[in-house]
Amino acid sequence: MRFSKLFTKTLRTAPKDEAARGAQFLLRAGYIHKELAGIYDYLPLGLRVLENIKKIIREELNEIGCQEVLMSSLQNPEPWQKTDRWDIEKMDIWFRTQLAAGGELGLAPTHEEPMTNMLKSYVSSYKDLPIYVYQFQTKFRNELRAKSGIMRTREFLMKDLYSYSTDEESHDKFYHEAEKAYKRIYDRLGIGGDTFQTFASGGVFSKYSHEFQTITEVGEDTIYFNEDKSVVLNEEVLNDEVLQDLGVKREELKSARAAEVGNIFTLREKYSAPLDLAFNDKDGGRKTVFMGCYGIGVSRVMGVIAEKLADDKGLVWPENVAPYKYYLVNIGDEGTKLAEKLYKGHEEDTLYDDRDLRPGEKFADAELLGIPYRIVVSDRNLEKGIIEVTNRATGETRELPAKDFSLSNLHS
Amino acid sequence: MRFSKLFTKTLRTAPKDEAARGAQFLLRAGYIHKELAGIYDYLPLGLRVLENIKKIIREELNEIGCQEVLMSSLQNPEPWQKTDRWDIEKMDIWFRTQLAAGGELGLAPTHEEPMTNMLKSYVSSYKDLPIYVYQFQTKFRNELRAKSGIMRTREFLMKDLYSYSTDEESHDKFYHEAEKAYKRIYDRLGIGGDTFQTFASGGVFSKYSHEFQTITEVGEDTIYFNEDKSVVLNEEVLNDEVLQDLGVKREELKSARAAEVGNIFTLREKYSAPLDLAFNDKDGGRKTVFMGCYGIGVSRVMGVIAEKLADDKGLVWPENVAPYKYYLVNIGDEGTKLAEKLYKGHEEDTLYDDRDLRPGEKFADAELLGIPYRIVVSDRNLEKGIIEVTNRATGETRELPAKDFSLSNLHS
């Protein structure tokens, strides 16, 4: 992409009510636009980041046999009434709306109910199970306070996966596969090293659920862990019973600020029983389906990565997430000639800053945007026969021979 | 994909209130699931169709310099108040909702206002224009009556493109490029031959707009055209003034039922003036941006294709739209052995009906699902050294030599 063609520009200031540093950078760099508190638009660069995150998640979920769908946002109250989650007193984050034709609808804050209800058309025998079904869909949550930029919003993009199994044993097997898939996802997203699976509250129907928490100063949560991080737990389960369960003592635990980037939950029959999602088992008996759910907030993960990795000059994207891999800067006539040549065939992975600006402005924008590799092709360098390649994350600059230089073999 | 792994099954019946034949097939074949009148879920096969349509549209729009974004669904009333489209009396299809923190929001039925408003951050000079920006985003429309399956719904996926130009001349140039892109899109979608650009009402601010109408019995519209279809117009503009404009006589026109599959609109300053999207022109003067909008209902197009091309046995997808290109059927032991071999490496373009069912049931489902090519690998055929390939659209069966048969070179 030529920067001169990109309709967004970098902005000097971010909205005053935006406290989080990463969110300020996202706004200033033109990744997102703020509509209202907790409601954002994704501009070309931001949408590319979302799509990169989606692609990684989709590949890993398809790999473990999950199937993708797209459920509606508008929600029929009926299945939610059956599970006792329609009342605002039971679930206070509902957005509601009125049908002109009469009747009240909700905007889906999550999709356990419609997904489970839909599957009643397709599940009758044990032979139809297991089923693992997911979607990337907008969720609406009527939060009293939205905060931390795109980390906690009123409208956000979520990947939600639901598993439907014949029994706990079969469920546990998949749950373990999902754990491993989640770890691969965070590794590929570039935050694997600081992301830990934690013990979290299981609600009223399971002893524990698990969260994936990424250590970062801007996180809303506190997690506790022992030295080697083999035991990590959320604050809400830090009590004597749990500590005994996990075989650690309180004084062996350290704490850290962290942000939740995913959760996995054994739901048992919580939703399948009231919605009567059942099947005929091998022995002829009728059994309720055993469920799990597995969430990753896609836009939230984008926010966490932005907040966690940003430095004081701007964003720092991991390679797999970045909207472009290369930020190509041309300086001078010869520099421009060669930059144009290098750009050819790299329109998809390169943001070519061909704008008519001073080098200093381009360098500042390169840092603000956080593209992994800045490539400077200048007359002065070309006289020395070199091209400068700067790693955004480390700040390290390498001088590479201009002769035979190509973006395609930069890493080979 | 192995059919045995697909969680959807073909159903014997569709909901009783579903009148449209294509919609019945989409429901029975497991492409969609009905939540409520006018509200549908897209199941794995249906989502693949949507994604195929999106891909074609995206490629053609990127080709003419458009940039993709994703705007929020929740809408701040303010910009809509400025353009006088917030009042229910002015726009009666709003879904409204209340913020828990106080205040009313809308669910976007279209995005002229937020898009134009957002661009105020990025447009200041004539040098920033033109801008062509689009999205694929859910639209919510509070229709009193939903009908024709997924053709007219309360929640649907739309591609909406907005153009921002310095003046009418520059606008017209792009408008013409968009017309050509739309024609390429319908050609690639497999309905180009029966899709015509029509003169339609321009509202209060332009003489005409244009619609793209696909001839089909189930269409809600009537279009009028002369013999060679060089002049095609919508019913609402069939009056003496327009006929004179277009140089045709009423008696030279035939009529046909048609369904709208897109529209393009010269908006002039209708939204940019009240929202004050203006720029400093070359001569130093301040000028309002000249706008156009260009819509294609993605899920609607899927519905129109389903309705138009279905026969009495089921759906008939054009190759570029179909969820899979090949429907592979194994019969018998040798048939299964070879089918497994053929399937390898074709997981992405083949639905392999490996279910333990009678051939007749598989053939019926093949017709219901409407995948372009059915490939039958049976013991009986293999004894004769052949494989049967049946074209879903024409019904024609070819017998091809089993030796060296491969899905990869089926069309070469």
Side-chain angles (χ1 to χ4, degrees), chain A residues 112 116 131-133 160-165 171 174-175 205 263-269 271-272 289-295:
Chain A
E112 281 84 3
T116 304
I131 290 172
Y132 315 124
V133 56
D160 42 329
L161 161 67
Y162 307 88
S163 69
Y164 297 85
S165 306
H171 165 82
F174 178 75
Y175 193 87
F205 42 94
N263 56 52
I264 59 177
F265 226 107
T266 295
L267 296 172
R268 314 190 74 91
E269 303 177 358
Y271 302 106
S272 46
V289 172
F290 197 102
M291 274 181 71
C293 70
Y294 314 79

PDB file of all heavy atoms in Angstrom, chain A residues 112 116 131-133 160-165 171 174-175 205 263-269 271-272 289-295:
ATOM      1  N   GLU A 112     -24.341 -18.650  23.620  1.00  0.00           N
ATOM      2  CA  GLU A 112     -24.624 -20.016  24.072  1.00  0.00           C
ATOM      3  C   GLU A 112     -26.046 -20.449  23.688  1.00  0.00           C
ATOM      4  O   GLU A 112     -26.262 -21.549  23.185  1.00  0.00           O
ATOM      5  CB  GLU A 112     -24.478 -20.150  25.596  1.00  0.00           C
ATOM      6  CG  GLU A 112     -23.061 -20.262  26.110  1.00  0.00           C
ATOM      7  CD  GLU A 112     -22.419 -18.893  26.289  1.00  0.00           C
ATOM      8  OE1 GLU A 112     -23.098 -17.858  26.059  1.00  0.00           O
ATOM      9  OE2 GLU A 112     -21.228 -18.844  26.640  1.00  0.00           O
ATOM     10  N   THR A 116     -26.935 -23.311  20.884  1.00  0.00           N
ATOM     11  CA  THR A 116     -27.454 -24.567  21.417  1.00  0.00           C
ATOM     12  C   THR A 116     -28.833 -24.861  20.832  1.00  0.00           C
ATOM     13  O   THR A 116     -29.144 -25.996  20.446  1.00  0.00           O
ATOM     14  CB  THR A 116     -27.515 -24.478  22.959  1.00  0.00           C
ATOM     15  OG1 THR A 116     -26.196 -24.153  23.437  1.00  0.00           O
ATOM     16  CG2 THR A 116     -27.979 -25.779  23.585  1.00  0.00           C
ATOM     17  N   ILE A 131     -19.687 -32.025  18.273  1.00  0.00           N
ATOM     18  CA  ILE A 131     -19.756 -30.884  17.357  1.00  0.00           C
ATOM     19  C   ILE A 131     -18.999 -29.726  17.993  1.00  0.00           C
ATOM     20  O   ILE A 131     -19.205 -29.412  19.159  1.00  0.00           O
ATOM     21  CB  ILE A 131     -21.222 -30.478  17.096  1.00  0.00           C
ATOM     22  CG1 ILE A 131     -21.930 -31.544  16.251  1.00  0.00           C
ATOM     23  CG2 ILE A 131     -21.297 -29.125  16.401  1.00  0.00           C
ATOM     24  CD1 ILE A 131     -23.429 -31.317  16.101  1.00  0.00           C
ATOM     25  N   TYR A 132     -18.111 -29.110  17.195  1.00  0.00           N
ATOM     26  CA  TYR A 132     -17.364 -27.936  17.658  1.00  0.00           C
ATOM     27  C   TYR A 132     -17.652 -26.803  16.684  1.00  0.00           C
ATOM     28  O   TYR A 132     -17.264 -26.880  15.523  1.00  0.00           O
ATOM     29  CB  TYR A 132     -15.861 -28.221  17.685  1.00  0.00           C
ATOM     30  CG  TYR A 132     -15.512 -29.556  18.307  1.00  0.00           C
ATOM     31  CD1 TYR A 132     -14.759 -30.498  17.605  1.00  0.00           C
ATOM     32  CD2 TYR A 132     -15.954 -29.879  19.598  1.00  0.00           C
ATOM     33  CE1 TYR A 132     -14.444 -31.718  18.172  1.00  0.00           C
ATOM     34  CE2 TYR A 132     -15.645 -31.107  20.167  1.00  0.00           C
ATOM     35  CZ  TYR A 132     -14.894 -32.026  19.449  1.00  0.00           C
ATOM     36  OH  TYR A 132     -14.586 -33.240  20.004  1.00  0.00           O
ATOM     37  N   VAL A 133     -18.335 -25.788  17.129  1.00  0.00           N
ATOM     38  CA  VAL A 133     -18.790 -24.765  16.193  1.00  0.00           C
ATOM     39  C   VAL A 133     -18.436 -23.375  16.723  1.00  0.00           C
ATOM     40  O   VAL A 133     -18.573 -23.101  17.917  1.00  0.00           O
ATOM     41  CB  VAL A 133     -20.309 -24.963  15.905  1.00  0.00           C
ATOM     42  CG1 VAL A 133     -21.128 -24.958  17.167  1.00  0.00           C
ATOM     43  CG2 VAL A 133     -20.837 -23.963  14.910  1.00  0.00           C
ATOM     44  N   ASP A 160     -16.173 -16.870  19.362  1.00  0.00           N
ATOM     45  CA  ASP A 160     -16.737 -17.735  20.380  1.00  0.00           C
ATOM     46  C   ASP A 160     -16.955 -19.124  19.807  1.00  0.00           C
ATOM     47  O   ASP A 160     -17.570 -19.301  18.758  1.00  0.00           O
ATOM     48  CB  ASP A 160     -18.021 -17.173  20.992  1.00  0.00           C
ATOM     49  CG  ASP A 160     -18.980 -16.560  19.992  1.00  0.00           C
ATOM     50  OD1 ASP A 160     -18.505 -16.027  18.962  1.00  0.00           O
ATOM     51  OD2 ASP A 160     -20.199 -16.611  20.223  1.00  0.00           O
ATOM     52  N   LEU A 161     -16.406 -20.085  20.520  1.00  0.00           N
ATOM     53  CA  LEU A 161     -16.462 -21.494  20.127  1.00  0.00           C
ATOM     54  C   LEU A 161     -17.259 -22.242  21.180  1.00  0.00           C
ATOM     55  O   LEU A 161     -17.128 -21.960  22.379  1.00  0.00           O
ATOM     56  CB  LEU A 161     -15.029 -22.037  20.054  1.00  0.00           C
ATOM     57  CG  LEU A 161     -14.824 -23.556  20.099  1.00  0.00           C
ATOM     58  CD1 LEU A 161     -15.387 -24.216  18.832  1.00  0.00           C
ATOM     59  CD2 LEU A 161     -13.332 -23.892  20.230  1.00  0.00           C
ATOM     60  N   TYR A 162     -18.098 -23.168  20.736  1.00  0.00           N
ATOM     61  CA  TYR A 162     -18.890 -23.987  21.651  1.00  0.00           C
ATOM     62  C   TYR A 162     -18.652 -25.445  21.297  1.00  0.00           C
ATOM     63  O   TYR A 162     -18.655 -25.805  20.115  1.00  0.00           O
ATOM     64  CB  TYR A 162     -20.374 -23.628  21.522  1.00  0.00           C
ATOM     65  CG  TYR A 162     -20.601 -22.136  21.697  1.00  0.00           C
ATOM     66  CD1 TYR A 162     -20.529 -21.261  20.616  1.00  0.00           C
ATOM     67  CD2 TYR A 162     -20.823 -21.595  22.960  1.00  0.00           C
ATOM     68  CE1 TYR A 162     -20.693 -19.898  20.783  1.00  0.00           C
ATOM     69  CE2 TYR A 162     -20.989 -20.222  23.152  1.00  0.00           C
ATOM     70  CZ  TYR A 162     -20.921 -19.377  22.046  1.00  0.00           C
ATOM     71  OH  TYR A 162     -21.066 -18.026  22.222  1.00  0.00           O
ATOM     72  N   SER A 163     -18.452 -26.263  22.320  1.00  0.00           N
ATOM     73  CA  SER A 163     -18.264 -27.695  22.059  1.00  0.00           C
ATOM     74  C   SER A 163     -19.441 -28.470  22.628  1.00  0.00           C
ATOM     75  O   SER A 163     -19.957 -28.147  23.699  1.00  0.00           O
ATOM     76  CB  SER A 163     -16.954 -28.189  22.669  1.00  0.00           C
ATOM     77  OG  SER A 163     -17.025 -28.185  24.083  1.00  0.00           O
ATOM     78  N   TYR A 164     -19.862 -29.472  21.879  1.00  0.00           N
ATOM     79  CA  TYR A 164     -21.004 -30.305  22.246  1.00  0.00           C
ATOM     80  C   TYR A 164     -20.544 -31.750  22.199  1.00  0.00           C
ATOM     81  O   TYR A 164     -20.208 -32.260  21.130  1.00  0.00           O
ATOM     82  CB  TYR A 164     -22.152 -30.060  21.262  1.00  0.00           C
ATOM     83  CG  TYR A 164     -22.656 -28.625  21.307  1.00  0.00           C
ATOM     84  CD1 TYR A 164     -22.040 -27.626  20.551  1.00  0.00           C
ATOM     85  CD2 TYR A 164     -23.719 -28.270  22.131  1.00  0.00           C
ATOM     86  CE1 TYR A 164     -22.483 -26.308  20.621  1.00  0.00           C
ATOM     87  CE2 TYR A 164     -24.175 -26.951  22.204  1.00  0.00           C
ATOM     88  CZ  TYR A 164     -23.548 -25.975  21.439  1.00  0.00           C
ATOM     89  OH  TYR A 164     -23.983 -24.679  21.523  1.00  0.00           O
ATOM     90  N   SER A 165     -20.511 -32.392  23.370  1.00  0.00           N
ATOM     91  CA  SER A 165     -19.973 -33.749  23.459  1.00  0.00           C
ATOM     92  C   SER A 165     -20.992 -34.683  24.109  1.00  0.00           C
ATOM     93  O   SER A 165     -21.935 -34.233  24.751  1.00  0.00           O
ATOM     94  CB  SER A 165     -18.678 -33.750  24.286  1.00  0.00           C
ATOM     95  OG  SER A 165     -17.755 -32.821  23.754  1.00  0.00           O
ATOM     96  N   HIS A 171     -15.659 -34.671  26.372  1.00  0.00           N
ATOM     97  CA  HIS A 171     -15.484 -33.221  26.526  1.00  0.00           C
ATOM     98  C   HIS A 171     -14.072 -32.887  26.980  1.00  0.00           C
ATOM     99  O   HIS A 171     -13.429 -31.992  26.421  1.00  0.00           O
ATOM    100  CB  HIS A 171     -16.492 -32.673  27.541  1.00  0.00           C
ATOM    101  CG  HIS A 171     -16.146 -31.289  28.018  1.00  0.00           C
ATOM    102  ND1 HIS A 171     -16.459 -30.161  27.308  1.00  0.00           N
ATOM    103  CD2 HIS A 171     -15.466 -30.855  29.124  1.00  0.00           C
ATOM    104  CE1 HIS A 171     -16.010 -29.085  27.944  1.00  0.00           C
ATOM    105  NE2 HIS A 171     -15.404 -29.483  29.050  1.00  0.00           N
ATOM    106  N   PHE A 174     -11.470 -32.906  24.284  1.00  0.00           N
ATOM    107  CA  PHE A 174     -11.483 -31.732  23.402  1.00  0.00           C
ATOM    108  C   PHE A 174     -11.010 -30.483  24.144  1.00  0.00           C
ATOM    109  O   PHE A 174     -10.298 -29.648  23.576  1.00  0.00           O
ATOM    110  CB  PHE A 174     -12.872 -31.480  22.803  1.00  0.00           C
ATOM    111  CG  PHE A 174     -12.882 -30.240  21.945  1.00  0.00           C
ATOM    112  CD1 PHE A 174     -12.301 -30.262  20.692  1.00  0.00           C
ATOM    113  CD2 PHE A 174     -13.404 -29.039  22.417  1.00  0.00           C
ATOM    114  CE1 PHE A 174     -12.256 -29.113  19.902  1.00  0.00           C
ATOM    115  CE2 PHE A 174     -13.359 -27.888  21.645  1.00  0.00           C
ATOM    116  CZ  PHE A 174     -12.790 -27.932  20.381  1.00  0.00           C
ATOM    117  N   TYR A 175     -11.434 -30.360  25.383  1.00  0.00           N
ATOM    118  CA  TYR A 175     -11.030 -29.202  26.196  1.00  0.00           C
ATOM    119  C   TYR A 175      -9.504 -29.092  26.207  1.00  0.00           C
ATOM    120  O   TYR A 175      -8.942 -28.001  26.072  1.00  0.00           O
ATOM    121  CB  TYR A 175     -11.573 -29.399  27.605  1.00  0.00           C
ATOM    122  CG  TYR A 175     -11.543 -28.192  28.517  1.00  0.00           C
ATOM    123  CD1 TYR A 175     -12.604 -27.289  28.521  1.00  0.00           C
ATOM    124  CD2 TYR A 175     -10.479 -27.977  29.392  1.00  0.00           C
ATOM    125  CE1 TYR A 175     -12.598 -26.186  29.382  1.00  0.00           C
ATOM    126  CE2 TYR A 175     -10.464 -26.883  30.247  1.00  0.00           C
ATOM    127  CZ  TYR A 175     -11.521 -25.992  30.241  1.00  0.00           C
ATOM    128  OH  TYR A 175     -11.520 -24.910  31.091  1.00  0.00           O
ATOM    129  N   PHE A 205     -21.384 -24.074  38.360  1.00  0.00           N
ATOM    130  CA  PHE A 205     -21.590 -25.419  37.821  1.00  0.00           C
ATOM    131  C   PHE A 205     -20.303 -26.175  37.543  1.00  0.00           C
ATOM    132  O   PHE A 205     -20.324 -27.328  37.186  1.00  0.00           O
ATOM    133  CB  PHE A 205     -22.456 -25.365  36.568  1.00  0.00           C
ATOM    134  CG  PHE A 205     -22.091 -24.232  35.664  1.00  0.00           C
ATOM    135  CD1 PHE A 205     -21.218 -24.414  34.620  1.00  0.00           C
ATOM    136  CD2 PHE A 205     -22.639 -22.980  35.893  1.00  0.00           C
ATOM    137  CE1 PHE A 205     -20.882 -23.354  33.813  1.00  0.00           C
ATOM    138  CE2 PHE A 205     -22.302 -21.925  35.071  1.00  0.00           C
ATOM    139  CZ  PHE A 205     -21.426 -22.107  34.029  1.00  0.00           C
ATOM    140  N   ASN A 263     -10.815 -17.179  27.452  1.00  0.00           N
ATOM    141  CA  ASN A 263     -11.264 -18.033  28.541  1.00  0.00           C
ATOM    142  C   ASN A 263     -11.869 -19.294  27.971  1.00  0.00           C
ATOM    143  O   ASN A 263     -12.377 -19.303  26.832  1.00  0.00           O
ATOM    144  CB  ASN A 263     -12.272 -17.309  29.438  1.00  0.00           C
ATOM    145  CG  ASN A 263     -13.451 -16.793  28.648  1.00  0.00           C
ATOM    146  OD1 ASN A 263     -14.075 -17.548  27.907  1.00  0.00           O
ATOM    147  ND2 ASN A 263     -13.762 -15.526  28.785  1.00  0.00           N
ATOM    148  N   ILE A 264     -11.759 -20.363  28.731  1.00  0.00           N
ATOM    149  CA  ILE A 264     -12.374 -21.624  28.320  1.00  0.00           C
ATOM    150  C   ILE A 264     -13.119 -22.160  29.523  1.00  0.00           C
ATOM    151  O   ILE A 264     -12.676 -22.007  30.665  1.00  0.00           O
ATOM    152  CB  ILE A 264     -11.344 -22.621  27.760  1.00  0.00           C
ATOM    153  CG1 ILE A 264     -10.265 -22.951  28.795  1.00  0.00           C
ATOM    154  CG2 ILE A 264     -10.661 -22.058  26.519  1.00  0.00           C
ATOM    155  CD1 ILE A 264      -9.266 -23.986  28.285  1.00  0.00           C
ATOM    156  N   PHE A 265     -14.250 -22.767  29.258  1.00  0.00           N
ATOM    157  CA  PHE A 265     -15.220 -22.993  30.309  1.00  0.00           C
ATOM    158  C   PHE A 265     -15.902 -24.331  30.094  1.00  0.00           C
ATOM    159  O   PHE A 265     -16.388 -24.614  28.995  1.00  0.00           O
ATOM    160  CB  PHE A 265     -16.290 -21.887  30.203  1.00  0.00           C
ATOM    161  CG  PHE A 265     -16.641 -21.265  31.509  1.00  0.00           C
ATOM    162  CD1 PHE A 265     -16.216 -19.976  31.823  1.00  0.00           C
ATOM    163  CD2 PHE A 265     -17.406 -21.963  32.427  1.00  0.00           C
ATOM    164  CE1 PHE A 265     -16.543 -19.386  33.032  1.00  0.00           C
ATOM    165  CE2 PHE A 265     -17.744 -21.380  33.639  1.00  0.00           C
ATOM    166  CZ  PHE A 265     -17.317 -20.096  33.947  1.00  0.00           C
ATOM    167  N   THR A 266     -15.926 -25.160  31.100  1.00  0.00           N
ATOM    168  CA  THR A 266     -16.732 -26.375  31.035  1.00  0.00           C
ATOM    169  C   THR A 266     -18.142 -26.016  31.500  1.00  0.00           C
ATOM    170  O   THR A 266     -18.330 -25.628  32.650  1.00  0.00           O
ATOM    171  CB  THR A 266     -16.127 -27.462  31.938  1.00  0.00           C
ATOM    172  OG1 THR A 266     -14.845 -27.832  31.407  1.00  0.00           O
ATOM    173  CG2 THR A 266     -17.019 -28.687  31.977  1.00  0.00           C
ATOM    174  N   LEU A 267     -19.090 -26.102  30.590  1.00  0.00           N
ATOM    175  CA  LEU A 267     -20.450 -25.644  30.921  1.00  0.00           C
ATOM    176  C   LEU A 267     -21.341 -26.783  31.416  1.00  0.00           C
ATOM    177  O   LEU A 267     -22.433 -26.536  31.906  1.00  0.00           O
ATOM    178  CB  LEU A 267     -21.098 -25.014  29.684  1.00  0.00           C
ATOM    179  CG  LEU A 267     -20.442 -23.743  29.152  1.00  0.00           C
ATOM    180  CD1 LEU A 267     -21.072 -23.349  27.815  1.00  0.00           C
ATOM    181  CD2 LEU A 267     -20.597 -22.594  30.144  1.00  0.00           C
ATOM    182  N   ARG A 268     -20.850 -28.010  31.231  1.00  0.00           N
ATOM    183  CA  ARG A 268     -21.669 -29.180  31.575  1.00  0.00           C
ATOM    184  C   ARG A 268     -23.041 -29.067  30.898  1.00  0.00           C
ATOM    185  O   ARG A 268     -23.110 -28.828  29.691  1.00  0.00           O
ATOM    186  CB  ARG A 268     -21.764 -29.354  33.088  1.00  0.00           C
ATOM    187  CG  ARG A 268     -20.404 -29.219  33.808  1.00  0.00           C
ATOM    188  CD  ARG A 268     -20.484 -29.621  35.251  1.00  0.00           C
ATOM    189  NE  ARG A 268     -20.581 -31.068  35.367  1.00  0.00           N
ATOM    190  CZ  ARG A 268     -19.537 -31.874  35.490  1.00  0.00           C
ATOM    191  NH1 ARG A 268     -18.300 -31.393  35.537  1.00  0.00           N
ATOM    192  NH2 ARG A 268     -19.702 -33.174  35.566  1.00  0.00           N
ATOM    193  N   GLU A 269     -24.120 -29.175  31.681  1.00  0.00           N
ATOM    194  CA  GLU A 269     -25.462 -29.164  31.078  1.00  0.00           C
ATOM    195  C   GLU A 269     -26.191 -27.863  31.356  1.00  0.00           C
ATOM    196  O   GLU A 269     -27.407 -27.780  31.202  1.00  0.00           O
ATOM    197  CB  GLU A 269     -26.271 -30.358  31.612  1.00  0.00           C
ATOM    198  CG  GLU A 269     -25.566 -31.672  31.333  1.00  0.00           C
ATOM    199  CD  GLU A 269     -26.299 -32.872  31.922  1.00  0.00           C
ATOM    200  OE1 GLU A 269     -27.341 -32.685  32.582  1.00  0.00           O
ATOM    201  OE2 GLU A 269     -25.828 -33.995  31.698  1.00  0.00           O
ATOM    202  N   TYR A 271     -26.636 -25.051  29.852  1.00  0.00           N
ATOM    203  CA  TYR A 271     -27.509 -24.516  28.809  1.00  0.00           C
ATOM    204  C   TYR A 271     -28.235 -25.622  28.044  1.00  0.00           C
ATOM    205  O   TYR A 271     -29.364 -25.454  27.606  1.00  0.00           O
ATOM    206  CB  TYR A 271     -26.710 -23.631  27.847  1.00  0.00           C
ATOM    207  CG  TYR A 271     -26.031 -22.493  28.579  1.00  0.00           C
ATOM    208  CD1 TYR A 271     -24.664 -22.487  28.823  1.00  0.00           C
ATOM    209  CD2 TYR A 271     -26.788 -21.441  29.086  1.00  0.00           C
ATOM    210  CE1 TYR A 271     -24.058 -21.465  29.542  1.00  0.00           C
ATOM    211  CE2 TYR A 271     -26.203 -20.408  29.807  1.00  0.00           C
ATOM    212  CZ  TYR A 271     -24.833 -20.432  30.024  1.00  0.00           C
ATOM    213  OH  TYR A 271     -24.244 -19.427  30.735  1.00  0.00           O
ATOM    214  N   SER A 272     -27.551 -26.743  27.873  1.00  0.00           N
ATOM    215  CA  SER A 272     -28.164 -27.818  27.077  1.00  0.00           C
ATOM    216  C   SER A 272     -29.369 -28.425  27.789  1.00  0.00           C
ATOM    217  O   SER A 272     -30.326 -28.833  27.125  1.00  0.00           O
ATOM    218  CB  SER A 272     -27.125 -28.893  26.755  1.00  0.00           C
ATOM    219  OG  SER A 272     -26.381 -29.240  27.902  1.00  0.00           O
ATOM    220  N   VAL A 289     -26.698 -33.198  26.174  1.00  0.00           N
ATOM    221  CA  VAL A 289     -25.371 -32.921  25.610  1.00  0.00           C
ATOM    222  C   VAL A 289     -24.496 -32.202  26.640  1.00  0.00           C
ATOM    223  O   VAL A 289     -24.980 -31.368  27.410  1.00  0.00           O
ATOM    224  CB  VAL A 289     -25.517 -32.080  24.323  1.00  0.00           C
ATOM    225  CG1 VAL A 289     -24.157 -31.608  23.822  1.00  0.00           C
ATOM    226  CG2 VAL A 289     -26.239 -32.880  23.243  1.00  0.00           C
ATOM    227  N   PHE A 290     -23.214 -32.523  26.637  1.00  0.00           N
ATOM    228  CA  PHE A 290     -22.230 -31.945  27.563  1.00  0.00           C
ATOM    229  C   PHE A 290     -21.481 -30.819  26.834  1.00  0.00           C
ATOM    230  O   PHE A 290     -20.876 -31.039  25.801  1.00  0.00           O
ATOM    231  CB  PHE A 290     -21.266 -33.047  28.004  1.00  0.00           C
ATOM    232  CG  PHE A 290     -20.471 -32.716  29.240  1.00  0.00           C
ATOM    233  CD1 PHE A 290     -20.829 -33.246  30.473  1.00  0.00           C
ATOM    234  CD2 PHE A 290     -19.358 -31.873  29.171  1.00  0.00           C
ATOM    235  CE1 PHE A 290     -20.092 -32.951  31.629  1.00  0.00           C
ATOM    236  CE2 PHE A 290     -18.628 -31.575  30.313  1.00  0.00           C
ATOM    237  CZ  PHE A 290     -18.991 -32.110  31.547  1.00  0.00           C
ATOM    238  N   MET A 291     -21.539 -29.615  27.404  1.00  0.00           N
ATOM    239  CA  MET A 291     -21.044 -28.444  26.663  1.00  0.00           C
ATOM    240  C   MET A 291     -19.802 -27.777  27.250  1.00  0.00           C
ATOM    241  O   MET A 291     -19.542 -27.857  28.441  1.00  0.00           O
ATOM    242  CB  MET A 291     -22.136 -27.357  26.626  1.00  0.00           C
ATOM    243  CG  MET A 291     -23.129 -27.477  25.512  1.00  0.00           C
ATOM    244  SD  MET A 291     -24.325 -26.087  25.599  1.00  0.00           S
ATOM    245  CE  MET A 291     -23.301 -24.689  25.101  1.00  0.00           C
ATOM    246  N   GLY A 292     -19.099 -27.094  26.377  1.00  0.00           N
ATOM    247  CA  GLY A 292     -18.015 -26.207  26.791  1.00  0.00           C
ATOM    248  C   GLY A 292     -18.054 -24.944  25.937  1.00  0.00           C
ATOM    249  O   GLY A 292     -18.647 -24.951  24.848  1.00  0.00           O
ATOM    250  N   CYS A 293     -17.456 -23.865  26.416  1.00  0.00           N
ATOM    251  CA  CYS A 293     -17.339 -22.679  25.558  1.00  0.00           C
ATOM    252  C   CYS A 293     -15.953 -22.081  25.698  1.00  0.00           C
ATOM    253  O   CYS A 293     -15.273 -22.260  26.720  1.00  0.00           O
ATOM    254  CB  CYS A 293     -18.427 -21.661  25.846  1.00  0.00           C
ATOM    255  SG  CYS A 293     -18.248 -20.844  27.418  1.00  0.00           S
ATOM    256  N   TYR A 294     -15.522 -21.384  24.654  1.00  0.00           N
ATOM    257  CA  TYR A 294     -14.128 -21.012  24.487  1.00  0.00           C
ATOM    258  C   TYR A 294     -14.095 -19.665  23.778  1.00  0.00           C
ATOM    259  O   TYR A 294     -14.426 -19.589  22.593  1.00  0.00           O
ATOM    260  CB  TYR A 294     -13.409 -22.058  23.626  1.00  0.00           C
ATOM    261  CG  TYR A 294     -13.720 -23.488  24.045  1.00  0.00           C
ATOM    262  CD1 TYR A 294     -14.917 -24.101  23.658  1.00  0.00           C
ATOM    263  CD2 TYR A 294     -12.832 -24.200  24.848  1.00  0.00           C
ATOM    264  CE1 TYR A 294     -15.213 -25.398  24.060  1.00  0.00           C
ATOM    265  CE2 TYR A 294     -13.124 -25.493  25.254  1.00  0.00           C
ATOM    266  CZ  TYR A 294     -14.315 -26.094  24.867  1.00  0.00           C
ATOM    267  OH  TYR A 294     -14.616 -27.366  25.271  1.00  0.00           O
ATOM    268  N   GLY A 295     -13.737 -18.612  24.483  1.00  0.00           N
ATOM    269  CA  GLY A 295     -13.814 -17.282  23.881  1.00  0.00           C
ATOM    270  C   GLY A 295     -12.465 -16.622  23.700  1.00  0.00           C
ATOM    271  O   GLY A 295     -11.545 -16.823  24.493  1.00  0.00           O
TER     272      GLY A 295
END
